[in-house]
Amino acid sequence: MQTRIAPIALALTVALFFLGIADSRAQTQTAGAPKQAAPSATHLPANYRQLIAAYISARDNHVVRDSKITKPYERWGGLLRGGTFTAVCVAVFRDNPFGIVVRDNWVVSYEGGEIKPIAMGMESCSDLSPFPELMKAISARQPSRATR
C-alpha cells in the first residue's frame, strides 16, 4: 500500500513545486516588464514611521543602540495572505545579554488600521536609512530618573 502512495505523493509534491515557481514568476513579470504594484495592496498612512516606532518600542525591551528603516515595498505574501502587500523592514541594533550588539530585523505591514508583524529575522533589510522615530519612542517610554 505504501509503495503506491509514495509515487503519488512525490508527483503531487513536484507538481506543487513547479506551480509555485510559475506563480511567483507570473507575479514578478508581465510580458517581460516589471509588474506594477497590486491595486489590492494596502498603502501605509502618512505617519507609518511613528506607528511602527510605537509598535516596536512597546514590544522590544532591550537596550537599543541604533535603528534603520527601509522605504515601503511590495512583498509577495502567498495565496493565503491574498497576494502582495506593502511591507517595511526595520533593523534594530541592540545589546544581547552578553553586551554584544546584535541586529534584529522586524518586517511589518499595516492591516486593519494597525501595524502587524510579518517576520522577525527572516529577511535581510537592505537600502536602509536612519530611523530616529524609534529612538525617540524608546526614550519616551523609559521613566525619567528623578534624583532625590
Side-chain angles (χ1 to χ4, degrees):
M1 183 70 169
Q2 283 185 333
T3 57
R4 289 186 201 165
I5 295 174
I8 294 171
L10 179 63
L12 183 60
T13 303
V14 170
L16 290 174
F17 175 75
F18 286 115
L19 284 174
I21 290 175
D23 185 45
S24 67
R25 287 185 180 167
Q27 289 294 325
T28 57
Q29 291 183 358
T30 302
K35 184 179 177 192
Q36 296 295 323
S40 63
T42 306
H43 294 287
L44 298 172
N47 65 338
Y48 76 92
R49 292 172 67 105
Q50 289 80 13
L51 293 173
I52 293 171
Y55 176 84
I56 293 175
S57 69
R59 287 158 181 79
D60 193 348
N61 295 321
H62 297 97
V63 175
V64 176
R65 300 293 178 189
D66 194 16
S67 60
K68 305 224 181 253
I69 191 170
T70 65
K71 292 180 179 177
Y73 60 94
E74 295 299 314
R75 181 171 189 249
W76 173 247
L79 295 176
L80 297 177
R81 288 194 55 94
T84 60
F85 60 93
T86 303
V88 175
C89 189
V90 178
V92 177
F93 300 91
R94 63 166 180 90
D95 286 353
N96 72 2
F98 302 108
I100 299 170
V101 177
V102 295
R103 175 179 167 164
D104 291 335
N105 292 339
W106 293 68
V107 181
V108 297
S109 69
Y110 184 77
E111 296 175 15
E114 58 185 25
I115 299 296
K116 300 277 186 169
I118 302 301
M120 185 173 170
M122 303 308 282
E123 283 190 22
S124 61
C125 298
S126 59
D127 199 20
L128 298 164
S129 61
F131 189 30
E133 293 88 347
L134 178 59
M135 303 309 290
K136 290 175 188 172
I138 289 171
S139 65
R141 170 190 78 188
Q142 296 173 346
S144 61
R145 296 181 181 158
T147 56
R148 295 182 206 182

